[in-house]
Amino acid sequence: MENNENMEKKSTIELKELDEETLFMVSQTFKALSDPTRIRILFLLSQKECSVNEIAEDLSLRQSTVSHQLRFLKNLRLVKFRRAGTSIYYSPEDQHVLSLLNQSIDHALHD
Amino acid sequence: MENNENMEKKSTIELKELDEETLFMVSQTFKALSDPTRIRILFLLSQKECSVNEIAEDLSLRQSTVSHQLRFLKNLRLVKFRRAGTSIYYSPEDQHVLSLLNQSIDHALHD
DNA sequence: GTAATATATGTTCATCTGTTCATATTGTTT
DNA sequence: AAACAATATGAACAGATGAACATATATTAC
């Protein structure tokens, strides 16, 4: 009974609907960022557009691992790609998720 | 070679270290928010301080399920608690994570 | 003290995840 | 067209995860 009127500043969550669909979308978004490999891929792509092989080499991952994770990120529309010759170059598509990642890294670094 | 100087606005991720420890912390934070049950618990707690049983009843979850998830959130310092009689009341502890959740819900709702 | 209530914990189980290998597909280049 | 290069895909496996049950612990009330 002492915690019922804290919806002003400090970004407390306002009363909103949390229907099943929203809940699923939100959890999926965070799931995308819950794996170190995916974070490293997104982090790398936020710095430079990369082909699949470049990602694999830069992060010391198998090509198939990168490809599988890119499919995951692609399905969630978090990355886009373009073909260039025989390679396919990936880059981030969702600025919002990149922002969430950025904030979280900042917060972790500043302890 | 066309994506190398986009570190101004739009919250592109700046060049930072992504050491193992930071990577782990960040991924753990997002993992906490990647499960619908934990999201519902945090969302509920952001609105009112609750005992374990209140959470279980409000969200139609087993008491043990709630307790296990609370332990998870407690380990990550995302919730705090106080004892009152025979009950234990939980509330959010990490404003930053609450902010991430809030942003993500907003984004999902505004499509 | 004992009984009652609230919460925490251990274990089991089914499911989900992420990686790897092997192979298929796709587009390019000659 | 064939050969090549880059990427995607399928299957299999190990490990992680979340829910449920039963039970243990802890505090209050009597």
Side-chain angles (χ1 to χ4, degrees):
Chain A
M1 295 285 168
E2 72 207 41
N3 205 6
N4 245 350
E5 58 260 1
N6 47 358
M7 44 256 329
E8 329 86 22
K9 44 194 70 161
K10 288 176 49 178
S11 80
T12 301
I13 294 181
E14 308 122 39
L15 292 173
K16 307 191 194 68
E17 279 306 313
L18 246 195
D19 56 295
E20 272 305 313
E21 190 192 340
T22 303
L23 193 59
F24 182 73
M25 284 183 58
V26 170
S27 66
Q28 283 293 105
T29 298
F30 287 122
K31 186 160 299 188
L33 296 171
S34 71
D35 177 66
T37 300
R38 284 193 292 273
I39 293 179
R40 296 210 295 153
I41 292 176
L42 276 177
F43 185 75
L44 177 61
L45 293 182
S46 77
Q47 298 174 341
K48 59 165 184 168
E49 190 190 37
C50 286
S51 71
V52 178
N53 272 339
E54 281 174 358
I55 298 172
E57 286 162 19
D58 282 22
L59 303 181
S60 298
L61 298 168
R62 306 290 172 137
Q63 179 268 325
S64 67
T65 298
V66 174
S67 193
H68 279 301
Q69 297 294 14
L70 285 174
R71 177 166 61 172
F72 185 108
L73 297 172
K74 213 184 332 180
N75 287 340
L76 285 179
R77 314 240 179 219
L78 300 189
V79 296
K80 61 188 175 195
F81 59 95
R82 68 177 176 87
R83 178 173 282 278
T86 125
S87 295
I88 298 185
Y89 284 86
Y90 282 82
S91 54
E93 184 163 22
D94 189 319
Q95 201 60 38
H96 170 253
V97 168
L98 231 49
S99 170
L100 293 176
L101 178 56
N102 198 23
Q103 291 174 50
S104 188
I105 292 175
D106 273 349
H107 189 255
L109 289 177
H110 302 154
D111 201 39
Chain B
M1 296 287 167
E2 71 207 41
N3 205 4
N4 245 351
E5 59 258 4
N6 48 357
M7 45 251 335
E8 329 83 24
K9 44 195 70 161
K10 288 174 53 177
S11 81
T12 301
I13 295 180
E14 309 122 38
L15 293 173
K16 309 191 194 65
E17 279 308 312
L18 246 195
D19 56 295
E20 271 306 312
E21 190 191 342
T22 303
L23 192 59
F24 182 73
M25 284 183 60
V26 171
S27 66
Q28 283 293 105
T29 298
F30 286 122
K31 185 159 300 189
L33 297 170
S34 71
D35 177 67
T37 299
R38 284 191 292 272
I39 293 178
R40 296 210 295 154
I41 292 176
L42 276 176
F43 186 76
L44 178 61
L45 293 181
S46 76
Q47 297 172 345
K48 60 165 182 168
E49 190 189 37
C50 286
S51 71
V52 178
N53 272 339
E54 282 174 356
I55 298 172
E57 286 162 20
D58 282 23
L59 304 182
S60 298
L61 297 169
R62 307 288 172 135
Q63 179 267 325
S64 68
T65 297
V66 174
S67 192
H68 278 299
Q69 296 294 14
L70 285 174
R71 177 166 60 170
F72 184 106
L73 297 172
K74 214 185 328 181
N75 287 340
L76 286 179
R77 314 240 180 221
L78 300 189
V79 296
K80 62 189 176 197
F81 59 94
R82 67 178 176 86
R83 166 159 250 132
T86 126
S87 295
I88 297 184
Y89 285 86
Y90 282 82
S91 54
E93 184 163 23
D94 189 319
Q95 202 58 38
H96 169 252
V97 167
L98 231 49
S99 169
L100 292 178
L101 177 56
N102 199 22
Q103 290 174 49
S104 188
I105 293 175
D106 273 348
H107 189 255
L109 288 177
H110 301 156
D111 202 40

